Amino acid sequence: MSGRTTVVIQGVESPGEVPGIEALETNAEFRCVGDLNALRRALPGAEVLLGWNFAAADVIHAFDRADRLRWIQWGGAGVDAALFPALVESEVTLTNVRGVFDQAMAEYTLGMILAFAKDFRGTDTLQRERKWLHRPTEPVAGTKALVVGVGSIGRAIARTLRAVGIEVEGVGRTARDGDAEFGRVRGNEDLNRELGSADWVVLVTPLTGQTRGLFDAARFAAMKSTARFFNLGRGALVDEPALIEALETGVIAGAGLDVFSEEPLPAGSPLWGMENVVVSPHMSGDFRGHEEAMASIFLDNFRRYRAGEPLVNVVDKRLGFVPG
Amino acid sequence: MSGRTTVVIQGVESPGEVPGIEALETNAEFRCVGDLNALRRALPGAEVLLGWNFAAADVIHAFDRADRLRWIQWGGAGVDAALFPALVESEVTLTNVRGVFDQAMAEYTLGMILAFAKDFRGTDTLQRERKWLHRPTEPVAGTKALVVGVGSIGRAIARTLRAVGIEVEGVGRTARDGDAEFGRVRGNEDLNRELGSADWVVLVTPLTGQTRGLFDAARFAAMKSTARFFNLGRGALVDEPALIEALETGVIAGAGLDVFSEEPLPAGSPLWGMENVVVSPHMSGDFRGHEEAMASIFLDNFRRYRAGEPLVNVVDKRLGFVPG
């Protein structure tokens, strides 16, 4: 490819905010945009869109301006906000940053499990009151986790939980045997049965037409009353009012939530005030250094794009994720 | 052995509080004691002392009444409170419950490390204020931990931290190569150098004449200013005022403390109020079910005692621990 490629970078004020991007300067012309109006002005004529700090919902409202767009590099693992018909049906290639967040999310999940098992919140509360109150802790080794979503994030979580002696089962879109990480992967049709024996339920499946609202009142009812539920995937995977009711009425014992049906979580949500719920602001995957890891995927893909080679992390837009 | 063995059980109101002890009833006569005076009254004529819920400091003040005592089963892993001259120099065999707390303490340590790395306390604080504030987290894989104390607890901690990708070095009483868990064990003479490269320092060594006050101002000065310090061993291993100063002045970044020079930690201690310190009430090893595990060691040892067989977990009273 000769000539410079026009790249719109969403969510930065200057290209220098993307680590290492100066290496592309001879081959690329950058247009940095900060909001929807700027995105709409910048898209005409651009071949590449790099979603860096993602106002993901903006893309649907600017896509009609994408007259020459050939490739979107999505700045996240979950591409649900890109799965609108005009983009799905277009020739535009969609890539994500699969893999970048895996280890951080696995560590975050294990941390939340240990925090519940060892009652770190109780310890914090007692410390603020300067109260010395011994409590026995829950052992973690020998407990059972169910990971819903068997992509690269779910696999990293499974590996990490197993490393400390937690038994892990995986639930995916379709049941299958002989999976390298999970052995037997259960299908969604077995989900309720699997929920009945899990101490920890970890939701990391992509948000698609098949998974929207996957966890409803019936799912929570199928769980053990001592179980804790973790959502690190997407808020819309869960019927949030049903979750709140399950937590308030003791149907399940607790939850660690990093994603919500509306983000930022509105100040009026009862979730903020619940003793058995940890609310964190969609940060489980974002470790110090994740920008470099995200950039390196884009830089590699940009070189491939210019050389006419196949890109990595190409999303199957009908499935809604990068096939394993 | 014929006839019944008189067993004093310290810290219970009835023998039934010790799970499974009813199996010994034909061979044992139990005397349950709750305080020092009761212990002093019960010891004469008794052959065995089972320290169940340990008011450990009482033993030194009752030992002069131990006219027929042959064996003390200590209800903890650290036997420092039993290492007074009259007991050390006596023929009384001292056994501990080595192994019971290993896995729980390893999980607790990893949980505290993850809580610091993922800033769970910050998340809790923000949740109480209903504030949505994204922060990047610290990766844990690839960081470095130094475990000071290479007995069964230190080994379990090393195994667990390594399982999530933390690099682990061990420091013991004497340097040696070819250790099955640690490879090369560093000696205390290398401690300062090792402290300079550790992100996490975990103190679990037994309290003996050699280790009392092991962590003083110079040790903290040798640590990285970003490092966190964890003490799950004994408070007296640490110069507590020096630790407080190191934490207040940024010499080290934080601490997770489960043991203190005085327990319960006095309400006036500045440690309670420090944002970068987690205070927990000497509970890291006490998982639900630990009583059964402790009892099974005693029941096994009691059978051995009656049969004239060697006991398990015999403490070397000169060293101050059960030799590996």
Side-chain angles (χ1 to χ4, degrees):
Chain A
M1 190 176 284
S2 65
R4 292 168 105 196
T5 302
T6 301
V7 178
V8 174
I9 312 179
Q10 194 189 29
V12 297
E13 292 187 1
S14 85
E17 294 177 43
V18 180
I21 206 166
E22 60 281 0
L24 308 186
E25 271 168 11
T26 52
N27 292 322
E29 182 195 311
F30 301 114
R31 300 177 184 169
C32 297
V33 303
D35 61 15
L36 176 59
N37 283 336
L39 181 62
R40 290 186 59 82
R41 282 194 304 272
L43 272 182
E47 274 177 66
V48 178
L49 170 60
L50 168 59
W52 186 252
N53 256 326
F54 237 79
D58 283 358
V59 178
I60 191 171
H61 301 299
F63 195 68
D64 62 298
R65 309 281 285 178
D67 54 355
R68 297 195 54 200
L69 197 66
R70 296 180 54 192
W71 165 39
I72 299 178
Q73 173 66 56
W74 200 257
V79 296
D80 45 284
L83 299 178
F84 51 91
L87 176 51
V88 170
E89 288 156 20
S90 74
E91 299 286 303
V92 174
T93 300
L94 178 64
T95 58
N96 73 357
V97 291
R98 182 180 204 259
V100 165
F101 308 111
D102 298 358
Q103 178 62 26
M105 291 176 73
E107 293 176 357
Y108 202 89
T109 303
L110 177 57
M112 286 199 294
I113 287 174
L114 287 166
F116 272 102
K118 309 305 176 187
D119 190 25
F120 286 166
R121 173 169 282 179
T123 295
D124 254 26
T125 303
L126 289 160
Q127 182 175 343
R128 281 194 304 277
E129 299 167 356
R130 297 184 176 233
K131 272 194 195 148
W132 181 275
L133 182 63
H134 180 279
R135 299 97 64 208
T137 67
E138 299 171 24
V140 159
T143 60
K144 194 174 159 188
L146 185 70
V147 177
V148 181
V150 294
S152 71
I153 294 167
R155 306 178 99 72
I157 292 171
R159 233 175 356 256
T160 299
L161 301 192
R162 274 203 200 99
V164 299
I166 298 174
E167 202 185 313
V168 183
E169 299 278 353
V171 172
R173 215 163 41 102
T174 49
R176 55 187 186 271
D177 278 322
D179 181 272
E181 183 64 44
F182 289 95
R184 184 168 166 197
V185 171
R186 319 286 169 159
N188 274 339
E189 66 280 8
D190 291 330
L191 181 52
N192 280 13
R193 200 192 56 223
E194 294 298 321
L195 286 171
S197 61
D199 301 297
W200 320 100
V201 176
V202 184
L203 186 56
V204 288
T205 198
L207 176 62
T208 67
Q210 282 75 52
T211 61
R212 186 173 293 274
L214 182 66
F215 271 75
D216 57 12
R219 303 292 186 193
F220 298 119
M223 286 171 61
K224 291 163 74 168
S225 61
T226 52
R228 278 81 169 221
F229 173 76
F230 302 100
N231 189 4
L232 288 76
R234 284 289 182 268
L237 296 167
V238 173
D239 176 346
E240 209 166 88
L243 171 61
I244 292 169
E245 188 174 337
L247 287 161
E248 280 175 339
T249 57
V251 170
I252 65 173
L257 306 173
D258 193 50
V259 291
F260 303 89
S261 57
E262 188 184 341
E263 295 179 12
L265 182 66
S269 169
L271 290 168
W272 288 111
M274 295 173 77
E275 263 307 301
N276 56 346
V277 176
V278 173
V279 170
S280 66
H282 203 142
M283 61 184 267
S284 69
D286 299 340
F287 59 97
R288 287 182 201 157
H290 78 279
E291 293 91 347
E292 284 75 8
M294 277 172 46
S296 78
I297 290 178
F298 173 68
L299 298 179
D300 178 37
N301 263 343
F302 188 81
R303 187 196 55 74
R304 290 166 177 267
Y305 178 82
R306 293 277 302 181
E309 296 171 12
L311 305 188
V312 298
N313 285 349
V314 174
V315 173
D316 180 322
K317 293 186 287 184
R318 309 276 163 188
L319 289 177
F321 51 87
V322 179
Chain B
M1 190 177 283
S2 66
R4 293 168 105 198
T5 301
T6 301
V7 178
V8 174
I9 311 178
Q10 194 190 28
V12 297
E13 292 188 0
S14 84
E17 294 177 43
V18 180
I21 206 166
E22 60 281 0
L24 309 186
E25 270 168 11
T26 51
N27 292 322
E29 183 195 311
F30 300 114
R31 298 177 185 170
C32 298
V33 304
D35 62 15
L36 175 59
N37 283 336
L39 180 62
R40 289 185 60 82
R41 281 195 304 273
L43 273 182
E47 273 177 67
V48 178
L49 169 61
L50 168 60
W52 187 251
N53 257 326
F54 238 78
D58 283 358
V59 177
I60 190 171
H61 301 299
F63 195 68
D64 61 297
R65 309 280 285 178
D67 55 354
R68 295 196 54 200
L69 197 65
R70 294 180 56 193
W71 165 39
I72 298 177
Q73 172 67 57
W74 199 258
V79 297
D80 46 284
L83 299 179
F84 51 91
L87 176 50
V88 170
E89 288 156 19
S90 75
E91 299 284 303
V92 173
T93 299
L94 178 64
T95 58
N96 74 357
V97 291
R98 183 179 203 259
V100 165
F101 307 111
D102 298 358
Q103 178 62 27
M105 290 175 74
E107 293 176 357
Y108 201 89
T109 302
L110 177 58
M112 286 200 294
I113 286 174
L114 287 166
F116 272 101
K118 309 305 175 187
D119 190 25
F120 285 166
R121 173 170 283 181
T123 296
D124 255 26
T125 302
L126 288 161
Q127 182 175 343
R128 281 195 304 276
E129 299 167 356
R130 297 184 176 233
K131 272 194 195 148
W132 180 275
L133 182 63
H134 180 278
R135 297 99 63 209
T137 67
E138 299 170 26
V140 159
T143 60
K144 194 174 157 187
L146 185 68
V147 176
V148 182
V150 294
S152 70
I153 293 167
R155 307 178 98 72
I157 291 171
R159 235 177 351 259
T160 298
L161 301 193
R162 272 204 200 98
V164 299
I166 298 174
E167 202 185 313
V168 183
E169 298 278 353
V171 172
R173 215 163 41 103
T174 51
R176 57 187 184 271
D177 278 321
D179 182 272
E181 183 63 44
F182 289 96
R184 183 168 167 196
V185 171
R186 319 285 169 160
N188 274 339
E189 66 280 7
D190 292 329
L191 181 52
N192 280 13
R193 200 193 55 224
E194 294 297 321
L195 287 171
S197 61
D199 301 297
W200 320 100
V201 175
V202 184
L203 187 55
V204 287
T205 197
L207 177 61
T208 67
Q210 282 76 52
T211 60
R212 186 174 294 273
L214 182 65
F215 271 75
D216 56 14
R219 302 294 187 195
F220 298 120
M223 287 172 61
K224 291 164 74 169
S225 61
T226 52
R228 279 80 170 222
F229 173 76
F230 301 100
N231 188 3
L232 289 75
R234 283 290 183 269
L237 296 168
V238 173
D239 176 345
E240 209 165 89
L243 171 60
I244 291 169
E245 188 174 336
L247 287 160
E248 280 174 340
T249 58
V251 170
I252 65 172
L257 306 173
D258 192 50
V259 291
F260 303 88
S261 56
E262 187 184 343
E263 295 179 12
L265 182 66
S269 169
L271 290 168
W272 287 112
M274 295 172 76
E275 263 307 302
N276 56 347
V277 176
V278 173
V279 170
S280 66
H282 203 143
M283 60 184 267
S284 69
D286 299 339
F287 60 96
R288 287 182 202 158
H290 78 278
E291 294 90 347
E292 284 73 9
M294 277 172 47
S296 79
I297 291 178
F298 173 69
L299 298 179
D300 177 37
N301 263 344
F302 188 83
R303 187 196 55 73
R304 289 165 178 266
Y305 177 83
R306 294 277 302 182
E309 296 171 12
L311 305 188
V312 297
N313 285 349
V314 175
V315 172
D316 180 322
K317 292 186 286 183
R318 307 276 162 189
L319 289 177
F321 51 87
V322 179

